[in-house]
Amino acid sequence: QVQLVESGGGLVQPGGSLRLSCAASGFSFSTYAMSWYRQAPGKERELVARIASAGGNTYYADSVKGRFAISRDNAKNTVYLQMNSLKPEDTAVYYCSYYQPPRDYWGQGTQVTVSS
């Protein structure tokens, strides 16, 4: 069955960096675009970044553009989110996801806390 397992979250000071990983299994990873979403307490889940199946095309939310970078390694069935210049407002649970009709698939999430 489909599994998406995020890792790499933690507590970091403002201005710091983290690299999130999402290991995928149970589907043809290289066929699908992959996304990172986040959900802060009391807020709706929002799209942070997306990468096309071959990795050439990417999308970023305005709030993270220039600070975050999404990448993927299709040989390792893994998608990454490099997060630099982190701000307290980046604090959230981060989820990787992909859409295979008729539904979205989600990992369990990894907590990122940006605080001094």
Side-chain angles (χ1 to χ4, degrees):
Q1 73 276 23
V2 172
Q3 281 196 312
L4 298 170
V5 180
E6 300 96 337
S7 61
L11 173 64
V12 63
Q13 292 187 341
S17 297
L18 282 175
R19 188 194 197 203
L20 306 184
S21 300
C22 173
S25 61
F27 66 103
S28 182
F29 178 79
S30 62
T31 302
Y32 294 94
M34 296 297 297
S35 302
W36 284 97
Y37 285 77
R38 68 185 181 187
Q39 187 166 22
K43 295 188 176 181
E44 293 188 356
R45 194 171 295 191
E46 64 171 345
L47 176 63
V48 174
R50 177 170 289 149
I51 187 166
S53 58
N57 291 327
T58 56
Y59 163 85
Y60 296 96
D62 286 344
S63 57
V64 307
K65 209 170 288 184
R67 301 188 297 121
F68 290 12
I70 189 171
S71 61
R72 65 190 296 160
D73 185 338
N74 286 346
K76 294 183 178 179
N77 285 4
T78 301
V79 60
Y80 305 97
L81 186 67
Q82 178 67 43
M83 306 186 295
N84 300 325
S85 301
L86 282 161
K87 304 176 181 180
E89 51 263 43
D90 295 317
T91 295
V93 178
Y94 284 71
Y95 301 89
C96 73
S97 175
Y98 85 105
Y99 176 71
Q100 179 177 359
R103 55 165 289 190
D104 293 295
Y105 290 84
W106 301 91
Q108 83 289 348
T110 185
Q111 175 71 46
V112 172
T113 302
V114 185
S115 175
S116 55

